[in-house]
Structures are given as C-alpha cells and as structure tokens.
Amino acid sequence: MKKTKYEVFMKIIEFGSLSRAADYCNYSQSAVSQIVIALENEFGIKLLNRSHAGVSVTSDGAELLPYIQKLSQAYNELSDKVSELHGIESGLIRIGTFSSISCHLLSPLLKDFKAKHPNIKFELIQGDYRQIEIWILEGTVDFGFVDLPTLKEFEVIPIMEDRMLAILPANHPYAREESVPLSIFEQESMILLEEGTKKEVLEMFRQHHIKAKIEYRLDDDYTIIAMVESGLGISILAELILRRTSYNIISKETSPSFSRSIGIAIKSRKQASIAVRCFLDFVVENKESYIRLMK
C-alpha cells in the first residue's frame, strides 16, 4: 500500500528536506510538495518553513505534529490488519536496528526469510539504542534491536552476547599479549564511541574505578578504527563491529572481560501483525545457527 500524506509529512520532518523525503518515499519532489500544500490547505495552517538549508516545522505545525503522527500510526495499523486478512504472504515489517546487527545478523536472516515469503516487505531504520526504544514506543517501528536491559514496557527476546574488545595499533606493546588491562585506558589517549557501546564501556570503567583518558568522542565506529590504525589512540568496540574490517589493527579481550547483551524489544508480540510474529518466530528458531556462522 502507498504511503499516506501523513506518513510522507512525518518523513519530511524527520529528514528536514523535501528531496530526501521524496527519495525515501519513492515520490517525485513535486508530488511531495503537493502533499504539503494539500495538508496546509486542508488545515488552513502553514506547516513548514522553507529555506535554502531545508525545511523546518512551524510553531503551529509542531502543535499538530503529535496528531499527524497518530494518524500515520493508525494507517500503519490498518495496513497491518489488511495484510493479516490477506494472510502471511503479504505485509510490511518495520525494524529498528543498528549497523553491526544490520550487516552481520539481519542481512542473512532477511535473505533466507524472503526466500520463503517474497511478498513481505521490510523497512529498516538505523539509529542508536535510545532512538530505537523511542521508535518502538511511538510505533514508528514494529520492533527493534536494543542493548539489554531495556525499558520495562517492552517484551524482550534475547539474541546474543557480543564481546567488548580493546583495539590497538598493530605495533602497540600489548599487541602480543593475551589481553589488555583496563588500567591502560588511564595512561593512553582513548577514542570513545559516543553511541551504542558507550554505556557498557563507561559502566565498566566506573565499576573498576578507571579514570579513562578520553581524548576523542566520535559517533562513527569506522572512523574510530581508522584513527586507532593511525596511532591517534586506543579504543573499545564490540566484536560484531570489528568483523570483516581490513584495517591494520589488533583487537584483544580486556582484563577483566565484558560484553554487551543484544536483544529484540517489542511492545506486544501478541498484538503484532501475523507477518511480524512469523518473522520473530523465524529469528528465534534460527538465531543460533546464524550466530555460529558469524564466528
């Protein structure tokens, strides 16, 4: 089913751009502009401010935004119900995810599931743990991959433990050691990944009274890996992030060792569409074999 004008409008707000929203929704920019004009005429209110930098919601538009979001969510629920009436062979599944899960676990799962159910469509939205939790609460996604523990409102399906590893330049003195003591992060410049694994790393430092010498804070894991390769510092990243990287770095378990717990969070598995429940069943039944393939 095509996206409603309310869904398109929410994408414009999300991207801050008519052209990016048009690309995402597979519409022409002219069609997206007409949708905004139609909504403004329908409400008799200016919804967007337009400038060379993009678009932003007006103060009146901001007041209407929660109601437009509810209309968009209601349409998605209607679409799910229509798909349910048609049966498992159709439907849209919206998943909140992050890059390392998308690349190494979700991609092969989707490939094999779609081989059995080719008419079920997927929409993947990438963000950090907190964003994904908000998307689940708001109904932007049907479920999402998160770091456990998560919000008490969610039902949880545990997926895997992902080791946290120290990453060092190839010529680092600890390159030949079995493990890297956490105390080294008090002595050498550290590059901290701000999103994702930050919580586990800082909590581990707190537990062991480590005052890390954090010199850089970045949101992109591959930039961090490149900086470590260049000798600008050392870091701690999840093992899943480090798979299939061609950088000249060394990864080592820390001492003491620790990991992050990854799971799927959903508001209500019972109330989800047939397509969503079928996919989650597929994940639960097959996750161990896919995780083994990653090792």
Side-chain angles (χ1 to χ4, degrees):
M1 299 175 74
K2 291 185 68 176
K3 292 186 181 296
T4 66
K5 56 189 176 183
Y6 308 115
E7 289 181 289
V8 173
F9 183 76
M10 294 303 300
K11 287 299 177 186
I12 294 170
I13 301 303
E14 179 183 336
F15 292 125
S17 165
L18 293 175
S19 59
R20 289 183 63 194
D23 289 342
Y24 182 89
C25 297
N26 199 26
Y27 286 4
S28 67
Q29 187 169 339
S30 174
V32 170
S33 295
Q34 288 302 313
I35 286 171
V36 174
I37 293 169
L39 281 173
E40 290 181 331
N41 289 338
E42 179 182 341
F43 299 147
I45 291 172
K46 184 180 179 183
L47 298 173
L48 295 179
N49 294 312
R50 298 165 175 81
S51 69
H52 293 299
V55 295
S56 59
V57 68
T58 64
S59 57
D60 287 340
E63 289 195 42
L64 291 179
L65 203 56
Y67 301 96
I68 295 174
Q69 186 175 48
K70 287 179 182 177
L71 285 169
S72 177
Q73 183 176 345
Y75 175 79
N76 286 329
E77 291 172 357
L78 174 63
S79 297
D80 289 342
K81 189 62 180 178
V82 170
S83 297
E84 185 174 327
L85 293 173
H86 281 294
I88 183 59
E89 294 312 317
S90 63
L92 172 67
I93 299 175
R94 298 155 297 161
I95 305 174
T97 182
F98 45 94
S99 58
S100 55
I101 279 289
S102 300
C103 292
H104 303 300
L105 179 62
L106 198 48
S107 292
L109 275 167
L110 292 180
K111 178 183 176 183
D112 292 345
F113 183 81
K114 282 188 70 66
K116 296 181 178 180
H117 308 287
N119 294 323
I120 292 182
K121 301 184 185 303
F122 288 87
E123 182 177 326
L124 306 185
I125 306 178
Q126 291 204 164
D128 59 51
Y129 303 142
R130 182 57 185 152
Q131 286 176 315
I132 294 169
E133 289 172 337
I134 292 171
W135 293 335
I136 298 168
L137 286 172
E138 293 177 344
T140 303
V141 297
D142 296 300
F143 63 86
F145 288 87
V146 296
D147 182 44
L148 301 179
T150 185
L151 303 181
K152 62 182 181 181
E153 295 95 326
F154 297 151
E155 295 179 22
V156 170
I157 302 171
I159 297 297
M160 64 180 294
E161 290 294 313
D162 190 19
R163 290 190 306 164
M164 303 298 295
L165 300 177
I167 59 169
L168 318 166
N171 61 353
H172 193 276
Y174 273 91
R176 296 181 180 275
E177 299 296 327
E178 286 291 324
S179 61
V180 175
L182 285 178
S183 58
I184 196 175
F185 291 92
E186 293 184 312
Q187 304 155 18
E188 298 192 27
S189 296
M190 181 181 183
I191 310 168
L192 180 68
L193 178 63
E194 277 283 27
E195 302 294 350
T197 58
K198 172 185 175 183
K199 180 175 72 174
E200 290 88 356
V201 173
L202 294 184
E203 176 60 21
M204 198 65 175
F205 286 159
R206 187 194 66 77
Q207 288 179 14
H208 296 276
H209 311 290
I210 302 294
K211 295 181 179 179
K213 186 180 175 183
I214 300 171
E215 188 163 342
Y216 304 97
R217 296 174 181 265
L218 298 171
D219 292 334
D220 183 72
D221 37 39
Y222 291 108
T223 301
I224 290 175
I225 295 170
M227 290 176 70
V228 170
E229 182 183 49
S230 298
L232 291 171
I234 59 177
S235 188
I236 298 177
L237 294 176
E239 185 174 17
L240 205 53
I241 294 170
L242 299 170
R243 296 188 184 280
R244 301 181 190 171
T245 58
S246 57
Y247 293 90
N248 187 26
I249 59 166
I250 300 294
S251 59
K252 296 282 182 180
E253 198 164 43
T254 61
S255 177
S257 61
F258 65 112
S259 63
R260 63 173 176 173
S261 298
I262 298 173
I264 288 174
I266 185 170
K267 280 199 288 188
S268 172
R269 193 168 170 182
K270 184 178 180 180
Q271 294 179 11
S273 69
I274 288 179
V276 168
R277 295 200 303 270
C278 180
F279 180 71
L280 291 178
D281 289 342
F282 180 81
V283 172
V284 171
E285 291 167 8
N286 296 281
K287 64 178 182 176
E288 297 300 335
S289 60
Y290 286 96
I291 290 170
R292 282 196 297 271
L293 288 174
M294 292 192 302
K295 295 180 178 179

